[in-house]
């Protein structure tokens, strides 16, 4: 009889910017080709600060295509249920995720900490989340841990019986951590952030699940550093993607 592997329990997500080709100058040369033709490439050598008014105009009046001429690739580690929400974002995104068909999945699972609001109050379409009681947080931790232990034990049992990984993984829950590369451009990221984060400057309110919002906040911080003028215009114009 094999000894069950100990679980690793996490309440965080991680986001690493592994590759990027993204700057405010990318927006300017793409926008000005309509009037300057190939001379718009000269914008790459200029200080984009002088043209922040143009970037703001493009965001404000929703001229979106100039924001597509850039690329950011993130390595994300999060529970599988977060990735299921990610897959709703298809235009301007590319994904490659860790495969349970080709490798044995590790026993790393999600358990929310006390910063995660637990209780939903109100009816569908008009509800809020509030903090849980200490007893509720204890119940979530204990119940999820017990469930994860049983699920991973079942997974290991099937593997020990010689069952293929792609079949055995059916025993595992969506609280299991996975990892993926996600590549996007500034326009697609703005659309994602408009839906998957809550922000006081947002013109259109959004009510994302907290765990995908945690990922969005980390991606936003990386993008803000790469394209500060575009990021400022996004916030100044209600966080609506152009």
């Amino acid at each position: 009889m094999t000894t069950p592997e100990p679980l690793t329990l996490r309440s965080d997500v991680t986001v690493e910017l592994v590759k990027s080709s993204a700057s405010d100058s990318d927006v300017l040369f793409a926008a000005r080709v309509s009037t300057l033709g190939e001379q718009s490439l000269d914008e790459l050598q200029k200080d984009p600060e002088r043209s922040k008014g143009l970037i703001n105009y493009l965001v404000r009046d929703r001229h979106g295509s100039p924001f597509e001429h850039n690329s950011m690739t993130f390595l994300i580690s999060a529970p599988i249920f977060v990735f299921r929400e990610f897959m709703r974002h298809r235009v301007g995104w590319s994904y490659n995720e860790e495969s349970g068909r080709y490798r044995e999945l590790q026993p790393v699972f999600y358990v929310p900490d006390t910063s995660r609001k637990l209780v939903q109050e109100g009816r569908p379409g008009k509800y809020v989340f509030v903090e849980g009681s200490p007893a509720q947080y204890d119940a979530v931790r204990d119940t999820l841990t017990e469930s994860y232990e049983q699920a991973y034990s079942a997974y290991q049992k099937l593997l020990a019986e010689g069952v293929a990984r792609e079949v055995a993984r059916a025993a595992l829950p969506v609280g299991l951590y996975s990892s993926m590369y996600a590549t996007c451009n500034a326009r697609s990221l703005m659309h994602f952030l408009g839906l998957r984060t809550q922000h006081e400057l947002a013109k259109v309110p959004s009510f994302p699940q907290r765990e995908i919002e945690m990922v969005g906040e980390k991606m936003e911080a990386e993008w803000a550093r790469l394209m500060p003028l575009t990021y400022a215009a996004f916030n100044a114009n209600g966080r609506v993607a152009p």
Side-chain angles (χ1 to χ4, degrees):
M1 183 176 179
T2 59
T3 303
E5 287 194 44
L7 304 187
T8 298
L9 302 178
R10 293 176 53 184
S11 60
D12 67 323
V13 299
T14 61
V15 175
E16 179 185 356
L17 179 68
V18 297
K19 185 175 66 172
S20 67
S21 175
S23 70
D24 292 314
S25 295
D26 297 330
V27 179
L28 297 172
F29 89 80
R32 287 190 165 132
V33 72
S34 60
T35 56
L36 298 178
E38 63 186 21
Q39 294 177 12
S40 69
L41 287 172
D42 294 340
E43 297 296 331
L44 294 174
Q45 310 304 321
K46 295 179 180 178
D47 180 4
E49 181 72 28
R50 297 188 305 170
S51 299
K52 64 181 180 181
L54 173 57
I55 291 177
N56 188 73
Y57 158 75
L58 294 171
V59 176
R60 185 193 69 208
D61 286 15
R62 306 195 72 184
H63 297 289
S65 58
F67 298 97
E68 298 175 4
H69 296 272
N70 56 83
S71 177
M72 294 164 279
T73 298
F74 300 92
L75 176 60
I76 302 167
S77 174
I80 286 176
F81 65 79
V82 170
F83 293 167
R84 298 296 79 80
E85 291 200 337
F86 249 105
M87 300 309 171
R88 299 177 186 177
H89 298 270
R90 296 181 294 276
V91 177
W93 288 87
S94 298
Y95 304 106
N96 282 95
E97 186 181 350
E98 174 183 355
S99 175
R101 296 184 67 192
Y102 303 121
R103 61 169 299 186
E104 182 175 338
L105 299 172
Q106 299 304 299
V108 183
F109 295 93
Y110 176 73
V111 174
D113 62 20
T114 54
S115 69
R116 209 292 188 200
K117 295 179 180 179
L118 284 187
V119 179
Q120 179 179 324
E121 293 183 346
R123 56 183 174 80
K126 192 176 183 180
Y127 57 82
V128 296
F129 283 91
V130 299
E131 287 79 6
S133 67
Q136 287 172 321
Y137 282 105
D138 289 344
V140 168
R141 183 193 64 241
D142 294 345
T143 302
L144 286 180
T145 300
E146 180 182 3
S147 175
Y148 293 153
E149 288 173 343
Q150 292 176 351
Y152 199 77
S153 177
Y155 174 66
Q156 288 189 305
K157 179 180 179 181
L158 291 174
L159 293 179
E161 293 287 343
V163 175
R165 288 183 291 266
E166 65 183 54
V167 177
R169 64 178 174 172
L172 297 172
V174 294
L176 182 78
Y177 272 73
S178 186
S179 60
M180 74 170 179
Y181 289 106
T183 299
C184 63
N185 58 55
R187 188 183 193 184
S188 55
L189 182 57
M190 283 187 275
H191 180 259
F192 176 90
L193 294 175
L195 291 172
R196 301 299 181 181
T197 60
Q198 285 186 313
H199 199 284
E200 60 183 4
L201 297 177
K203 186 183 300 182
V204 180
S206 185
F207 306 94
Q209 183 163 342
R210 177 56 189 153
E211 288 77 11
I212 196 169
E213 184 179 37
M214 290 160 59
V215 174
E217 289 168 349
K218 291 179 180 293
M219 297 173 75
E220 181 172 343
E222 294 288 355
W223 171 57
R225 179 178 58 82
L226 293 171
M227 303 179 71
L229 300 183
T230 302
Y231 179 65
F234 174 60
N235 282 314
N237 290 280
R239 294 174 67 88
V240 175

